[in-house]
Amino acid sequence: MAEITITKENFENEVLNSTTPVLVDFWASWCGPCRMLSPVIAEISEEYEGKAKIGKVNVDEEPELAAKFGIASIPTVMVFQDGKATNTSVGYRSKAEIAAMLKETSRKF
C-alpha cells in the first residue's frame, strides 16, 4: 500500500479517527534529508500494510498542518494513536528507528 497524502481536508478522518496507528512524515520536495527518508517510509508502508497507516504531509502545500503540530524542522515523523501524537522524531532516522516508533505506540507488532 502506498503512503497516503495527508491534507487538512482528510487529516481528521485519516489520522485522528484512525483505528490503527498512523505514521505521518512531514516533508518538502526541496529537503535533502526528506528525499533520503522517502524510500524508508515507502518500505515501512509496505511492511506495515494492514497494521498501520503511513501518511505524508507536504509542509509547503499544507502549512496549516505544519503550524498546528509545531513543525520547525523537516523531516519530522510523528506517530498518532487514538487521535493523539504519541511519538515524534526530527531529522533523518534509520528504518529500524522509524519502525521502533511504531512498535512503541502499539503492542500489535
Side-chain angles (χ1 to χ4, degrees):
M1 175 182 206
E3 304 96 81
I4 301 163
T5 298
I6 304 291
T7 65
K8 65 180 182 230
E9 287 80 17
N10 71 2
F11 186 84
E12 184 174 346
N13 186 51
E14 294 289 356
V15 179
L16 299 182
N17 295 335
S18 178
T19 57
T20 60
V22 184
L23 183 143
V24 179
D25 175 21
F26 290 86
W27 71 286
S29 60
W30 49 263
C31 166
C34 298
R35 290 193 305 269
M36 289 171 48
L37 186 61
S38 188
V40 171
I41 299 296
E43 286 180 29
I44 288 172
S45 179
E46 288 179 21
E47 290 179 19
Y48 285 83
E49 185 172 355
K51 300 177 200 167
K53 284 186 188 178
I54 312 299
K56 294 178 77 81
V57 175
N58 184 321
V59 297
D60 289 335
E61 295 173 3
E62 300 296 333
E64 291 174 32
L65 281 178
K68 180 177 180 176
F69 292 99
I71 306 301
S73 297
I74 52 175
T76 294
V77 175
M78 299 179 84
V79 177
F80 291 82
Q81 177 74 48
D82 301 322
K84 296 180 177 77
T86 59
N87 214 327
T88 302
S89 171
V90 178
Y92 177 83
R93 297 288 184 263
S94 70
K95 181 178 170 184
E97 290 171 305
I98 302 281
M101 290 174 62
L102 276 170
K103 290 175 184 171
E104 288 171 15
T105 298
S106 177
R107 302 267 183 236
K108 296 178 187 176
F109 306 126

